[in-house]
Amino acid sequence: MLDWRDRIKFLLQKKNMTQADLAKALGVADPTVSIWLKGKVRLSDENTTKIQYQVASALEVDPEFIITGDGAPSPELTIGTPAPLLTRTEISHWILSGTTAKTTRWMSFPIEAGERTFCYRMEGSSMDCSALPSAVNFPDSSLVFIDPSKPLELGKPCLFQDNSPVLGIYEELNDRSMLLFNNPRLSAINVVRDNYIGRAIGCFMSSG
């Protein structure tokens, strides 16, 4: 029965790539990929998942294909977008360079999005509106996916760089750009349009 290692070997063959090519794309030593694919070391579930998502991103395929065998094995049929899970301090570097630390965890967003799409973990209750089902809700600890390729738009949840990245509903009033929050106890804040990072395109609860 084929496992995820066999599916990676299949993809390398299909793309006319060597294990050395994959190692270079991932920024790891050549023997590392060989060790993974030969199963010479016992990997934790967390490390296995991280490798699977990073390889899927490097090969531009649906991570679900590598993990389970489902999904599309070729780029033109790829479903979804791999996105790095970043801390607030890592966001600027990702936007500018498109690179992450080797230990970065990758998540899969279920629809196509821009190549700089990323996710981060929501902190606090500024955008929590669980009591209002019709509103866009971003609970504490949820994973928020941000697409920098989406244009700034009134009435949409947008991420701006302030003292740190801050998410809110973008509005303009009397020539002022501002973010409004779902939490009624918080006042709107003024923002600078040039500090726009991207628009929130999805939110998922995660226990990990």
Side-chain angles (χ1 to χ4, degrees):
M1 183 176 180
L2 296 178
D3 66 6
W4 64 273
R5 297 177 180 86
D6 296 315
R7 286 187 283 274
I8 290 175
K9 293 174 186 176
F10 164 79
L11 290 169
L12 290 176
Q13 182 180 25
K14 184 176 183 296
K15 292 173 173 289
N16 294 317
M17 291 177 64
T18 65
Q19 292 183 16
D21 293 331
L22 178 58
K24 182 177 180 180
L26 294 172
V28 300
D30 292 2
T32 301
V33 172
S34 177
I35 290 170
W36 290 344
L37 298 186
K38 289 181 179 179
K40 289 185 175 180
V41 295
R42 184 175 179 84
L43 299 168
S44 67
D45 290 343
E46 180 179 354
N47 284 337
T48 297
T49 300
K50 181 174 68 175
I51 291 168
Q52 290 166 339
Y53 273 93
Q54 289 177 336
V55 170
S57 177
L59 298 182
E60 298 181 313
V61 299
D62 182 0
E64 193 63 23
F65 174 76
I66 291 177
I67 296 168
T68 67
D70 295 328
S74 56
E76 62 271 21
L77 298 176
T78 296
I79 301 170
T81 302
L85 174 58
L86 305 177
T87 65
R88 290 173 181 268
T89 58
E90 294 172 329
I91 291 174
S92 293
H93 179 76
W94 166 254
I95 296 297
L96 292 173
S97 69
T99 60
T100 64
K102 294 179 182 179
T103 56
T104 297
R105 180 180 178 188
W106 287 76
M107 313 299 289
S108 182
F109 187 64
I111 63 173
E112 294 297 332
E115 64 177 10
R116 286 290 197 272
T117 296
F118 64 91
C119 65
Y120 76 101
R121 196 174 299 280
M122 190 72 188
E123 297 177 4
S125 59
S126 62
M127 292 298 289
D128 192 346
C129 56
S130 302
L132 301 172
S134 60
V136 181
N137 188 33
F138 298 91
D140 181 37
S141 298
S142 60
L143 294 180
V144 182
F145 285 78
I146 303 292
D147 187 348
S149 71
K150 297 289 185 183
L152 183 60
E153 186 174 342
L154 292 173
K156 298 293 185 180
C158 297
L159 189 69
F160 276 79
Q161 181 66 42
D162 194 46
N163 293 326
S164 64
V166 57
L167 181 71
I169 305 299
Y170 180 71
E171 295 291 353
E172 295 177 355
L173 179 64
N174 298 328
D175 295 325
R176 293 166 52 206
S177 298
M178 61 181 63
L179 289 181
L180 308 180
F181 303 108
N182 291 337
N183 189 330
R185 294 175 295 178
L186 299 179
S187 300
I189 64 170
N190 295 327
V191 292
V192 179
R193 287 177 61 96
D194 287 346
N195 289 344
Y196 171 68
I197 295 175
R199 191 194 308 168
I201 57 174
C203 176
F204 302 93
M205 292 304 299
S206 172
S207 58

